[in-house]
């Protein structure tokens, strides 16, 4: 038996770092905005830098829009997609998967100067550290990765002098 006194108030919970998250979205054009809003909240929780957040949301918009726009016509759940985000130390990976395991296709297209579309994957190629197709147990999909540098210290860290005896 112990005589230790235990306080009635519990200790405050530590906020654990966000590691990964996923969500399924309907295959409608307005779901792309819902996916961006959902991922923006996750990026804010993970304390991602502002520039990385903006680039991530832009690239997510491109891949999600491609999934919705280029899904087979007349298919069940046309364009439904999953977003999976993985957060690591100074980098993240975002995956867009078709909910019905349809393989994404890549076309080499030179966009017309006056065309309104056709530049999505060019943006992904320009902004992403790495991107491409992948295959997982949930089916094939597209991914992109963004990396960033850690903020520099304002002053060099100098150890405190040791007290002598």
């Amino acid at each position: 038996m112990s005589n230790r006194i235990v306080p009635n108030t519990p200790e405050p919970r530590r906020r654990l770092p966000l590691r990964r998250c996923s969500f399924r979205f309907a295959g409608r054009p307005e779901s792309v905005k819902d996916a961006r809003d959902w991922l923006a909240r996750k990026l804010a929780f993970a304390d991602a830098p502002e520039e990385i957040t903006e680039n991530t949301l832009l690239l997510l918009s491109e891949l999600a829009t491609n999934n919705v726009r280029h899904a087979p016509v007349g298919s069940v759940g046309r364009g439904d997609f999953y977003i999976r985000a993985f957060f690591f130390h100074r980098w993240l990976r975002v995956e867009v998967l078709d909910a019905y395991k349809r393989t994404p296709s890549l076309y080499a297209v030179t966009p017309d100067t006056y065309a309104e579309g056709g530049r999505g994957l060019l943006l992904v190629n320009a902004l992403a550290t790495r991107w491409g197709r992948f295959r997982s147990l949930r089916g094939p999909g597209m991914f992109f990765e963004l990396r960033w540098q850690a903020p520099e210290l304002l002053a060099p860290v100098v150890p405190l002098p040791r007290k002598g005896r």
Side-chain angles (χ1 to χ4, degrees), residues 73-88:
V73 177
S75 62
V76 177
R78 179 177 189 253
D80 289 5
F81 60 96
Y82 288 99
I83 303 292
R84 294 192 310 186
F86 301 89
F87 297 89
F88 303 99

Side-chain angles (χ1 to χ4, degrees), residues 19-25 35 38-39 42 56 60 81-87 92-97 134-144:
R19 299 279 187 226
R20 66 175 178 245
C21 53
S22 68
F23 200 79
R24 181 178 175 155
F25 295 92
W38 173 81
L39 189 56
K42 304 302 180 193
T56 301
L60 171 66
F81 60 96
Y82 288 99
I83 303 292
R84 294 192 310 186
F86 301 89
F87 297 89
L92 68 96
R93 177 183 172 111
V94 177
E95 300 175 350
V96 178
L97 296 94
F134 72 97
R135 183 168 294 281
S136 72
L137 294 175
R138 270 203 162 151
M142 298 287 292
F143 77 94
F144 65 87

Side-chain angles (χ1 to χ4, degrees), residues 137-157:
L137 294 175
R138 270 203 162 151
M142 298 287 292
F143 77 94
F144 65 87
E145 295 176 359
L146 292 171
R147 297 176 187 266
W148 62 91
Q149 298 298 322
E152 294 184 26
L153 298 173
L154 297 176
V157 178

Side-chain angles (χ1 to χ4, degrees), residues 23-39 56-71 78-84 94-99 104 120-121 124 141-144:
F23 200 79
R24 181 178 175 155
F25 295 92
R28 297 187 308 265
E30 57 270 12
S31 294
V32 175
K33 181 187 181 317
D34 296 339
R36 270 194 324 261
D37 294 343
W38 173 81
L39 189 56
T56 301
L57 298 179
L58 175 64
L59 299 181
L60 171 66
S61 295
E62 296 300 335
L63 294 185
T65 300
N66 285 350
N67 194 77
V68 171
R69 182 176 290 163
H70 300 297
R78 179 177 189 253
D80 289 5
F81 60 96
Y82 288 99
I83 303 292
R84 294 192 310 186
V94 177
E95 300 175 350
V96 178
L97 296 94
D98 185 87
L121 292 181
V124 174
M142 298 287 292
F143 77 94
F144 65 87

